[in-house]
Amino acid sequence: MAEPHSVQLTLPTARRWRTRLGAIAWVALVLLGCTAWVHGALVTLAMPPATAMQVVVGAALALLASQFPVKIARTEQSFSAASIFTVLLLLLHGPAAAGLAAAAEAVGGSWRGTQRWTRVAVEATTAALMIFVGGSLLLMALPPLARGAASPTAVVLMLAMIFGSLHYAAQAAVVATLRQLPLARSPRFDELTGGFGWAGIAHAATAAIAALLYIEQQRSGLVVMIAIVVIIGLLFTTLHFFTLQQEADDAVRQAAADAVDREAELAASIARERAAALKAHHLRELELSERRFHNAFTHASIGMALLYFDGRVRQANPALHTLLGVSTGLLEGRLFGELLSPRDADLLGREMERVSSRATESLSLELCCRHTDGSDVWVSANASLFSEPGANEPCFILQMQDISARRRAEHELRHRAFHDKLTGLPNRDRFNELLSMALAAAQADPQRRFAVLFLDFDRFKLINDSQGHAVGDEFLVRASGRIHRCLRHRDTLARLGGDEFAILADDLSADGDAVTLAERLLESLREPLGLAGLAVTASASIGITFSSMGYRAPEDMLRDADIAMYRAKVDGKGRYALFDVRLHTEVSNRLRLEADLREALAQGTLAVAYQPLFELSSGRLQGFEALARWNHPTLGPVSPGTFIPIAEESGLVVQLTDFVLETACRQLRLWQRMNPAFEDVVLHVNIAANDVARGGLVTRITDVLRRNGLRPRNLTMELTENILMTQLASAMGTLRQLRELGVGLSVDDFGTGYSSLSHLSVLPIDSLKIDMSFVRNLRVGSSEAAVIRAIVLLGTSLGKLVIAEGIETQSQQDQLRDLGCELGQGFYLSRPLPPGAVPHLLDSLPTQPDGLPVGAELSQRLSMH
């Protein structure tokens, strides 16, 4: 028991001895520091007056500078310009003078933080002692090191930096130790090494500045050094006040952050209280909601039921019993699918499985239920999972609203949408739908045959105009009824509009069955109908086409049946015509024209006519549009409207373009050699969609121009607005290359397509050509005039020339000129001319003052766009 007691006595004794030793060390260090300070004062007094004055001023500056410390951000350390003056005095006048400055610096720094004289005295004497000891060592080491170095200045600078850092660290460690000695506690490691941080680096920097001042004083004298000292003082003063402002800002931000934290804690506390109150409130609301649910379930006006996952009814409300005509209580336990049609029962089962597997959260269906009286009841059903309080597992809650009236209305609307109001027959839309289904079935089963009969009454207009619409309507109703009685049960009769009817004769054994049906219909319609006291014969023409011709689209099959019907009318009415027999000649003729056109292109027997383009304001010639012409050996002249579509469909259009381009360029070069007035005439040549889509167009045009010695500005390529817009992505590169080549570009038939203004603004085109359909109907104040005015304004805004085609009267020319249209062409101005007539035309036109046609001027304008 004695050992613990002895330990308790030993610990206080050790603490007392440590306290005594600390006090002795403290007193000894203070006495040594005072001795160093007194020694420094005596040495200074022994100095010459000027030198002593420098020491006093240096110490005073150190004291003053210590009042303007620069705090290092995010630390408790700081530094000031005072250490500069201390190290400078050390280098200039030795450790004794430096001790006075260090003591002054310590007094100023300590007095700024505390007014305890004991602490001020300790730190001042310690600073004097530390600078005296360290400075003596520095001055001892400096001469031998400087003598052996290549750069003494660098040695001074480096030793000063090392001294400044180590001196600050050593002084900080000594001061930290002295502070702990009276407390009988050993200083911590971080307290001893605190000087080796940013403050140590800062003191190394200030020592370096002092060394630089010392070196500069040795070189330039005291005056320059004083000027530098003033600058350094201003710099450190600025840094001091800047750090003070930063500290003030940090304090404000910290206060704001503390206030936010306090408010957040208060808000969290309030939130916890509210959460507790809400929890209690929610429990009360849950109980109330449960009572409300049961009341709503029982008294709801729509049918509601709770179902088990296997589809059995767990509970049903009175409204559902009434909806299905079931007595109260007889639904519970039954499979709900028994109350639905078989198809809808399977559908509901699949959807409930998706909900139970969480594939979806709810279902929404329209179901057909069976009423106990045997009638159908259509309902809109919505179901989702439902967890009833106290139940072991969830169930389905099903809501059903009677929509029978709506379904009947929808059925009636659909019937009206797909049936003719007058006759009750399917209309065109319904017939196309049934025809599409028949085509799909025939494609799946090639052995299946059907036919379409297109029927049009021959004398219906006469009946309608002479007897009135009422009699005409009655005629259509009775005649369609007679037709319907001639059909089989699988055939469909539809009214397409007016007096046009179509029959879908499905599931034929042979194509001849449709012919037999047509003959039966014509025979039936020959019997007169009694209308308004008159006996009216319902004569009709019928066109027939067959599925065996390989149709893909219903509109194509109906179109061919319509063509065959018109052939029946041409042949004398009151008969039928077969598309694949009677109209085969027309197809053959088209194929023969294609072959002849191919041969004509190969032999070069086509021709090119040239329609002049004039400036509307002066009537002067600007250029020509090159137009293909074909004089068939047996048929004579073939219209371009006939052979150009054939060329496009057969792939001959590229050859046709090349022929026109080569022929026109060669002819223009001949004219230029005959008459210099043709030098600036511009040729307009049309290009087709295949020309743009097919690569090599730029190369082809370049080769033609080179072969014929023409300049690119003599040529303008025209392409239609629809071609330009539909193939914009693929055509843009080709158009840019043509524009870079110098060939003009024009949009033909402008106003009939669907150009985008955003595209027109960036397309490399020179001119817009107004479609002749607008010019043909041009009248003062007409809508066509408004359209042309808008196109001219658009062209002018985009910097494009505007050309009008199809001018056939003086009035049209005058209006177009007044609307601002610059160029024009048409039969009124000149018909397309053969090559031999063009030079004579040029002689009769007005000229510019220099004798050249106006084409030169406008050609220049085109090339500049």
Side-chain angles (χ1 to χ4, degrees):
M1 298 296 290
E3 186 175 351
H5 182 68
S6 64
V7 172
Q8 293 175 4
L9 292 175
T10 302
L11 290 176
T13 302
R15 188 178 295 111
R16 285 196 299 271
W17 276 102
R18 185 179 299 171
T19 303
R20 291 175 183 174
L21 290 175
I24 294 171
W26 185 85
V27 171
L29 193 62
V30 171
L31 290 176
L32 290 174
C34 290
T35 302
W37 189 88
V38 170
H39 172 71
L42 294 175
V43 170
T44 302
L45 291 174
M47 293 178 180
T51 304
M53 180 58 66
Q54 292 180 17
V55 174
V56 172
V57 172
L61 288 175
L63 176 64
L64 177 63
S66 66
Q67 302 305 307
F68 300 95
V70 177
K71 190 174 183 301
I72 299 176
R74 300 184 181 87
T75 69
E76 296 300 324
Q77 299 174 338
S78 62
F79 68 97
S80 68
S83 57
I84 297 176
F85 303 111
T86 301
V87 177
L88 180 60
L89 287 177
L90 172 65
L91 296 174
L92 289 174
H93 303 297
L100 296 178
E105 177 186 356
V107 168
S110 300
W111 194 264
R112 190 179 66 250
T114 178
Q115 277 72 42
R116 292 177 56 187
W117 69 269
T118 55
R119 181 173 178 179
V120 173
V122 169
E123 295 194 2
T125 56
T126 302
L129 178 60
M130 295 300 295
I131 196 68
F132 184 82
V133 174
S136 298
L137 294 175
L138 173 64
L139 295 180
M140 290 172 60
L142 185 59
L145 292 176
R147 282 195 300 271
S151 175
T153 301
V155 172
V156 172
L157 185 62
M158 184 60 65
L159 288 179
M161 292 176 64
I162 296 172
F163 169 76
S165 179
L166 294 179
H167 169 260
Y168 175 78
Q171 183 175 343
V174 170
V175 171
T177 303
L178 288 177
R179 288 178 180 175
Q180 302 303 326
L181 287 178
L183 302 176
R185 184 176 72 82
S186 300
R188 298 191 306 272
F189 178 76
D190 60 329
E191 294 173 340
L192 293 175
T193 60
F196 292 98
W198 290 108
I201 297 174
H203 280 77
T206 56
I209 295 173
L212 292 173
L213 289 173
Y214 168 71
I215 294 168
E216 185 62 30
Q217 191 271 340
Q218 294 295 321
R219 293 177 179 176
S220 305
L222 187 63
V223 176
V224 175
M225 186 188 71
I226 292 174
I228 297 175
V229 167
V230 172
I231 295 173
I232 293 173
L234 292 174
L235 174 64
F236 272 83
T237 303
T238 303
L239 286 174
H240 167 74
F241 286 107
F242 176 74
T243 55
L244 286 180
Q245 183 62 44
Q246 280 191 323
E247 290 177 0
D249 293 343
D250 291 342
V252 172
R253 284 193 292 268
Q254 185 61 39
D258 293 342
V260 171
D261 292 340
R262 288 194 298 273
E263 291 178 1
E265 180 61 28
L266 178 60
S269 175
I270 295 173
R272 288 192 293 271
E273 294 177 0
R274 288 182 177 177
L278 283 174
K279 184 177 180 181
H281 176 72
H282 287 164
L283 289 175
R284 293 192 299 271
E285 288 292 326
L286 183 61
E287 295 175 358
L288 181 61
S289 175
E290 183 179 349
R291 291 195 296 270
R292 284 199 298 263
F293 169 77
H294 284 289
N295 289 334
F297 183 86
T298 303
H299 300 97
S301 59
I302 63 173
M304 299 180 68
L306 299 178
L307 305 181
Y308 294 106
F309 279 3
D310 60 3
R312 288 181 296 111
V313 178
R314 175 177 173 181
Q315 185 180 354
N317 69 345
L320 183 60
H321 287 84
T322 302
L323 181 64
L324 301 178
V326 180
S327 301
T328 303
L330 295 183
L331 286 178
E332 283 75 3
R334 293 182 61 181
L335 287 173
F336 191 78
E338 297 175 355
L339 306 172
L340 305 175
S341 65
R343 183 185 66 84
D344 287 350
D346 293 341
L347 176 61
L348 179 62
R350 290 194 301 270
E351 292 298 316
M352 289 176 63
E353 178 65 27
R354 293 182 67 239
V355 175
S356 62
S357 64
R358 302 300 196 276
T360 183
E361 295 183 356
S362 61
L363 63 87
S364 180
L365 301 170
E366 290 190 359
L367 305 172
C368 182
C369 301
R370 300 291 177 81
H371 197 275
T372 53
D373 62 5
S375 62
D376 291 338
V377 179
W378 281 94
V379 298
S380 174
N382 295 275
S384 59
L385 291 177
F386 174 74
S387 297
E388 188 176 15
N392 295 328
E393 61 180 12
C395 60
F396 287 102
I397 181 169
L398 183 66
Q399 304 175 64
M400 293 183 294
Q401 187 171 5
D402 187 2
I403 59 170
S404 300
R406 195 201 78 195
R407 293 285 295 203
R408 287 192 295 269
E410 288 176 351
H411 177 75
E412 179 64 24
L413 288 174
R414 177 174 175 80
H415 184 273
R416 292 181 181 179
F418 289 99
H419 288 78
D420 178 55
K421 182 178 180 181
L422 176 63
T423 62
L425 296 173
N427 59 11
R428 181 183 291 271
D429 292 337
R430 178 59 176 164
F431 185 81
N432 282 334
E433 184 179 314
L434 295 174
L435 184 53
S436 297
M437 292 171 19
L439 285 171
Q443 291 172 12
D445 180 12
Q447 300 301 319
R448 182 169 181 171
R449 294 171 175 267
F450 67 91
V452 171
L453 290 77
F454 198 104
L455 183 147
D456 182 87
F457 291 107
D458 297 326
R459 303 174 61 226
F460 174 73
K461 187 175 186 305
L462 176 62
I463 298 172
N464 207 37
D465 292 344
S466 61
Q467 304 298 321
H469 292 291
V471 175
D473 290 347
E474 185 182 357
F475 168 78
L476 292 176
V477 171
R478 294 182 60 183
S480 62
R482 182 176 292 183
I483 294 172
H484 197 274
R485 288 190 293 271
C486 296
L487 303 181
R488 303 167 301 168
H489 70 279
R490 55 182 176 272
D491 298 335
T492 301
L493 172 65
R495 185 189 178 199
L496 304 182
D499 62 336
E500 294 180 342
F501 291 80
I503 300 169
L504 176 60
D506 202 1
D507 196 15
L508 299 175
S509 300
D511 291 347
D513 294 346
V515 176
T516 302
L517 174 59
E519 293 174 344
R520 187 165 62 248
L521 291 173
L522 293 174
E523 184 64 29
S524 174
L525 292 174
R526 288 192 182 99
E527 297 181 12
L529 293 171
L531 298 173
L534 299 174
V536 179
T537 301
S539 172
S541 298
I542 303 174
I544 308 172
T545 189
F546 303 95
S547 62
S548 57
M549 297 187 66
Y551 290 104
R552 296 286 180 180
E555 55 269 19
D556 293 342
M557 192 170 188
L558 195 59
R559 177 202 60 206
D560 290 349
D562 188 11
I563 292 173
M565 182 272 296
Y566 277 106
R567 176 50 55 91
K569 284 187 177 292
V570 171
D571 291 343
K573 301 181 181 180
R575 63 188 68 212
Y576 66 87
L578 304 178
F579 178 77
D580 59 342
V581 176
R582 297 293 182 87
L583 302 183
H584 179 70
T585 303
E586 293 184 8
V587 177
S588 299
N589 289 338
R590 186 177 183 87
L591 292 175
R592 188 173 68 252
L593 274 178
E594 178 184 334
D596 294 343
L597 178 60
R598 192 182 304 274
E599 182 179 359
L601 285 170
Q603 297 180 356
T605 57
L606 295 179
V608 177
Y610 303 88
Q611 186 170 31
L613 281 79
F614 295 97
E615 184 181 20
L616 297 182
S617 60
S618 64
R620 296 175 179 177
L621 179 67
Q622 186 273 339
F624 296 93
E625 181 177 4
L627 304 170
R629 292 293 184 262
W630 185 19
N631 191 13
H632 194 275
T634 58
L635 300 178
V638 180
S639 168
T642 299
F643 71 82
I644 289 180
I646 294 176
E648 291 177 342
E649 293 174 8
S650 61
L652 297 173
V653 71
V654 175
Q655 299 180 41
L656 181 60
T657 301
D658 288 344
F659 171 80
V660 174
L661 183 61
E662 181 72 34
T663 304
C665 288
R666 184 169 58 249
Q667 184 61 60
L668 178 58
R669 187 56 183 154
L670 290 175
W671 289 333
Q672 289 178 348
R673 290 170 180 166
M674 294 169 55
N675 189 341
F678 283 96
E679 286 295 328
D680 293 311
V681 167
V682 179
L683 274 179
H684 289 244
V685 178
N686 293 280
I687 54 177
N690 289 343
D691 290 309
V692 177
R694 184 176 176 181
L697 178 62
V698 178
T699 303
R700 288 155 50 202
I701 293 175
T702 303
D703 291 344
V704 170
L705 292 173
R706 186 177 60 254
R707 277 196 305 271
N708 293 283
L710 290 181
R711 292 167 296 180
R713 63 192 185 94
N714 287 127
L715 182 63
T716 291
M717 307 305 295
E718 294 188 2
L719 63 165
T720 65
E721 184 179 12
N722 284 335
I723 292 175
L724 186 63
M725 291 300 111
T726 56
Q727 301 192 25
L728 181 61
S730 60
M732 184 62 78
T734 300
L735 300 181
R736 287 202 179 103
Q737 292 179 46
L738 289 174
R739 195 66 190 87
E740 291 171 0
L741 180 63
V743 174
L745 294 171
S746 180
V747 180
D748 198 10
D749 300 338
F750 187 77
T752 61
Y754 47 96
S755 295
S756 167
L757 293 181
S758 62
H759 289 152
L760 284 178
S761 63
V762 299
L763 283 172
I765 58 176
D766 304 286
S767 57
L768 306 175
K769 199 171 218 183
I770 302 172
D771 186 70
M772 65 176 60
S773 62
F774 297 109
V775 178
R776 182 184 304 117
N777 299 318
L778 181 61
R779 302 289 185 276
V780 176
S782 64
S783 58
E784 286 77 8
V787 171
I788 292 174
R789 182 182 295 106
I791 294 175
V792 171
L793 180 60
L794 174 63
T796 303
S797 302
L798 297 178
K800 319 295 182 187
L801 285 175
V802 180
I803 306 171
E805 60 180 344
I807 301 174
E808 299 181 353
T809 66
Q810 177 68 46
S811 175
Q812 292 171 353
Q813 178 185 355
D814 295 340
Q815 290 183 66
L816 288 168
R817 183 182 60 248
D818 294 341
L819 289 172
C821 186
E822 298 174 82
L823 304 180
Q825 66 184 96
F827 283 1
Y828 176 75
L829 302 175
S830 174
R831 290 180 175 273
L833 302 174
V838 171
H840 302 291
L841 172 69
L842 190 63
D843 295 336
S844 64
L845 293 176
T847 60
Q848 294 178 331
D850 59 359
L852 292 177
V854 79
E857 178 186 356
L858 293 181
S859 176
Q860 276 189 333
R861 293 180 57 192
L862 272 175
S863 63
M864 291 174 61
H865 287 308

